[in-house]
Amino acid sequence: KAAGKRQWRHYHPSLQAGLIERHELNEHLDNAVAVADSAFALHYQPIVDLSNGELVAFEALVRWPQDQRAMMMPDEFIPVAEESGQIVRLGAWVLQRAVADGEGWQRLRGPSAGRGVPPLRLNVNVSARQFREADFVDVVRDIVRGSALERGSLVLELTESVLMNRDERVHADMRELCDLGIGIAIDDFGTGYSSLSYLREFPISILKIDKSFIDGLAHSAQQYALVEGIARIAEKLGVEVIAEGIENTAQRDLLAEMGCPLGQGYLFSHPLSLEEADALVRLHGRLTV
Ligand code: C2E
Ligand code: MG
Ligand code: MG
Ligand code: MG
């Protein structure tokens, strides 16, 4: 017993291995969420202006370091946190941490007002489970009001699973977020049950075209036509477009050619540690390739 629960698995190596692992991960996650500041880290991937490589925004992406070597990626633990509800606390931590880091970059750059440059923006992922919480908007409002982040520089990335729920509360919450100067992006657009009617129904400011569309851009006339069509409709509606997962210059060139303004991907930069992101901001970094 003194050896703790971990020992138990040795005695039942084959017993419902999957379930036990899930259970352990849950417990492990509970402990981590309780001390989130020391357990998790945020990495930041640059979003750039495709015409000149200029840094426009950072997307916050959560990481869970396990020891000196291993880093657990969000695809492994976010679904578990969503199922258990831990995502609510974890998500609030992510938002608060990212806003604090965003304030730091805006301080480094100096006020954008009067300089004719837009403020550096910050994109934060929000899961449907988090958005559904009754006090979600209150949590966001408290964090934003308590921060020095320039108005208009925070963007929340939502997936279509939020929009599929055509509840009046979803509409009301989005309006409130807009009133706070917060932008709403649809993440992974084109996967799942994408519907262009979301753009009409909700106050969407940004559409992020999923990587799966960008992958085939250079080889498929059909993919090209789809992306170009989406970009054109979005532009007409005053919705900004970000192409996700740009990995080569051919894709970058095609996107620029069709007038897609913004993009992110390994071609420009992998997600950066806070120190690396700070350095990029200090150098007024342009990510030219
Ligand atoms: P996402 O929001 O669509 O984020 C983009 C993912 O694509 C990131 O993976 C990023 O590292 C990866 N990526 C960016 N450029 C490229 C590229 O050129 N090639 C390839 N192959 N991949 C690229 P990551 O960091 O593993 O995150 C995966 C997903 O986990 C995110 O997808 C998002 O849905 C979720 N996630 C991450 N952080 C958070 C968070 O703080 N809260 C919530 N709710 N979800 C998060
Ligand atoms: Mg995202
Ligand atoms: Mg995405
Ligand atoms: Mg994704």
Side-chain angles (χ1 to χ4, degrees), residues 19-226:
L19 271 179
I20 292 167
E21 265 173 43
R22 185 91 167 181
H23 170 78
E24 280 190 2
L25 183 56
N26 242 316
E27 217 174 78
H28 190 33
L29 199 50
D30 253 343
N31 296 331
V33 170
V35 291
D37 248 323
S38 55
F40 297 97
L42 293 184
H43 281 191
Y44 292 98
Q45 189 176 34
I47 295 172
V48 305
D49 180 332
L50 291 178
S51 69
N52 57 18
E54 213 151 282
L55 178 67
V56 169
F58 280 119
E59 178 177 2
L61 295 160
V62 70
R63 305 284 180 261
W64 188 13
Q66 300 299 305
D67 51 52
Q68 302 89 319
R69 283 158 191 282
M71 181 85 94
M72 209 190 285
M73 299 302 276
D75 284 335
E76 293 177 73
F77 64 91
I78 292 282
V80 179
E82 280 172 346
E83 204 179 296
S84 67
Q86 289 152 324
I87 190 66
V88 175
R89 281 177 74 192
L90 177 57
W93 175 82
V94 167
L95 188 63
Q96 170 248 306
R97 184 69 259 155
V99 164
D101 292 341
E103 281 180 288
W105 299 319
Q106 292 187 345
R107 224 177 296 122
L108 279 175
R109 299 225 303 187
S112 61
R115 287 199 300 139
V117 291
L120 183 63
R121 294 193 310 215
L122 176 67
N123 285 29
V124 178
N125 292 287
V126 171
S127 81
R129 172 81 184 249
Q130 230 182 313
F131 193 91
R132 272 202 304 274
E133 284 292 294
D135 66 349
F136 176 71
V137 175
D138 298 329
V139 170
V140 175
R141 189 191 301 108
D142 284 350
I143 292 173
V144 168
R145 289 223 174 124
S147 87
L149 208 65
E150 287 190 61
R151 190 181 163 85
S153 55
L154 179 64
V155 173
L156 300 182
E157 297 194 0
L158 309 176
T159 52
E160 290 161 29
S161 47
V162 171
L163 309 175
M164 274 166 66
N165 179 0
R166 293 181 153 86
D167 211 272
E168 180 43 39
R169 221 208 81 211
V170 174
H171 283 95
D173 281 358
M174 283 202 193
R175 275 195 300 273
E176 257 194 275
L177 292 170
C178 289
D179 290 345
L180 288 167
I182 294 170
I184 307 283
I186 306 187
D187 204 352
D188 305 337
F189 188 81
T191 61
Y193 300 94
S194 299
S195 160
L196 285 169
S197 71
Y198 294 145
L199 300 181
R200 178 168 52 87
E201 271 182 62
F202 297 100
I204 304 297
S205 44
I206 298 174
L207 209 148
K208 297 189 75 174
I209 301 181
D210 191 67
K211 178 180 185 303
S212 57
F213 284 87
I214 308 308
D215 286 341
L217 209 55
H219 313 289
S220 156
Q222 210 176 26
Q223 295 284 80
Y224 184 96
L226 272 171

